[in-house]
Amino acid sequence: MEGSLIKKAKSIFEHSGEFDEDDEVTFTFPNEDNNQLFYSKFILSRCSPVFKAMFKHDFKEKKDKNVIIEDIKVADFKTFFKWCDPMLSEHLTAENVLQMVEIAEKYQIEAMIQQCRKIMHHDIVDKTFQQAKSDRYFATYHIDDIVKVLLVATKYNYTELLKTGEDYLVCFEVQNVLNTEPFEKLPIELKYRILSKRICKVYETVGFKHV
């Protein structure tokens, strides 16, 4: 069954941008001069339960064959379409993952969510921390990318990312952490845990036992 679906999807993309009339859906971006993109309902329905419900049931989008997008940029949706397209299957990267995870979560695309979580963990958080260690000091500019991932992890409760990011930030000097604008956007409970653990770490370093 899976093989036949892929075969059918590939046939749709024999000529890039051309779809069967019943299969085509328009995406309109009112915040970007009503720019429009066109895509396959079949492929979107196969990737996302949200799109499947949208196009199958009696929603406005099914009747109008038009989806209004006000909270995502055209450029990001193009990347998303390329990821969905079985002929292109564009890989997600550390450069676009923070935009793509928002789309993946909005449309409940589990495979994409898992890819995003792995990239954020290994290609941003882990890599940034290793870079900070190799520089032999934990400078402020190393913190920003980790905190940006923590903001996403907090929003969607990605527990493994929250734990790793929290443990890494404990290694930075308190004044460096406090000097970052993204850090101030984190929930108060998370900031408190990070700073409390950092203070305990300092106590241990100088030989004091924190009670």
Side-chain angles (χ1 to χ4, degrees):
M1 182 64 177
E2 181 73 11
S4 63
L5 286 174
I6 294 174
K7 185 176 180 180
K8 182 177 179 182
K10 285 184 175 181
S11 69
I12 294 172
F13 284 88
E14 282 296 318
H15 304 286
S16 180
E18 295 182 10
F19 308 104
D20 179 270
E21 184 177 344
D22 291 332
D23 183 54
E24 183 179 276
V25 61
T26 304
F27 285 78
T28 303
F29 299 80
N31 295 330
E32 296 187 61
D33 298 323
N34 284 316
N35 203 330
Q36 291 185 323
L37 299 176
F38 306 91
Y39 207 69
S40 161
K41 288 189 294 185
F42 169 79
I43 291 179
L44 289 172
S45 297
R46 182 172 173 270
C47 292
S48 160
V50 174
F51 281 124
K52 184 176 182 179
M54 187 185 296
F55 300 138
K56 182 178 180 181
H57 301 298
D58 211 15
F59 288 101
K60 185 176 184 295
E61 290 83 358
K62 178 183 178 182
K63 179 181 177 182
D64 296 345
K65 293 187 177 180
N66 184 42
V67 181
I68 303 297
I69 304 295
E70 296 181 313
D71 56 345
I72 302 170
K73 293 181 178 179
V74 172
D76 295 332
F77 242 92
K78 286 181 179 179
T79 301
F80 165 61
F81 285 161
K82 290 177 182 178
W83 182 88
C84 293
D85 183 346
M87 294 292 285
L88 298 176
S89 298
E90 182 168 301
H91 295 295
L92 305 181
T93 67
E95 286 69 36
N96 64 31
V97 69
L98 296 181
Q99 292 77 35
M100 293 302 104
V101 73
E102 298 289 348
I103 297 176
E105 285 286 353
K106 179 175 181 177
Y107 296 109
Q108 299 176 19
I109 307 169
E110 190 58 34
M112 195 177 194
I113 291 171
Q114 294 307 316
Q115 284 187 30
C116 288
R117 291 173 75 157
K118 287 179 182 178
I119 291 170
M120 286 188 291
H121 198 148
H122 300 299
D123 295 350
I124 298 181
V125 176
D126 286 349
K127 189 171 288 185
T128 299
F129 183 71
Q130 292 305 319
Q131 182 63 48
K133 286 176 63 179
S134 68
D135 287 347
R136 297 184 180 179
Y137 63 93
F138 294 88
T140 303
Y141 68 85
H142 288 122
I143 296 172
D144 291 346
D145 287 341
I146 295 177
V147 172
K148 287 176 184 176
V149 170
L150 279 177
L151 286 169
V152 174
T154 300
K155 182 177 181 179
Y156 298 116
N157 194 30
Y158 296 160
T159 54
E160 80 288 354
L161 272 172
L162 285 169
K163 183 180 185 307
T164 301
E166 182 180 320
D167 289 344
Y168 286 170
L169 287 183
V170 169
C171 298
F172 290 82
E173 295 293 340
V174 170
Q175 63 267 27
N176 288 344
V177 174
L178 290 176
N179 285 337
T180 62
E181 183 179 341
F183 183 76
E184 292 306 313
K185 298 178 182 178
L186 291 174
I188 187 67
E189 299 85 2
L190 180 55
K191 289 193 289 187
Y192 176 79
R193 286 202 307 271
I194 292 169
L195 295 175
S196 294
K197 287 181 179 179
R198 177 58 191 161
I199 292 170
C200 290
K201 190 177 181 69
V202 171
Y203 284 158
E204 293 172 3
T205 302
V206 297
F208 289 98
K209 185 176 181 182
H210 180 61
V211 180

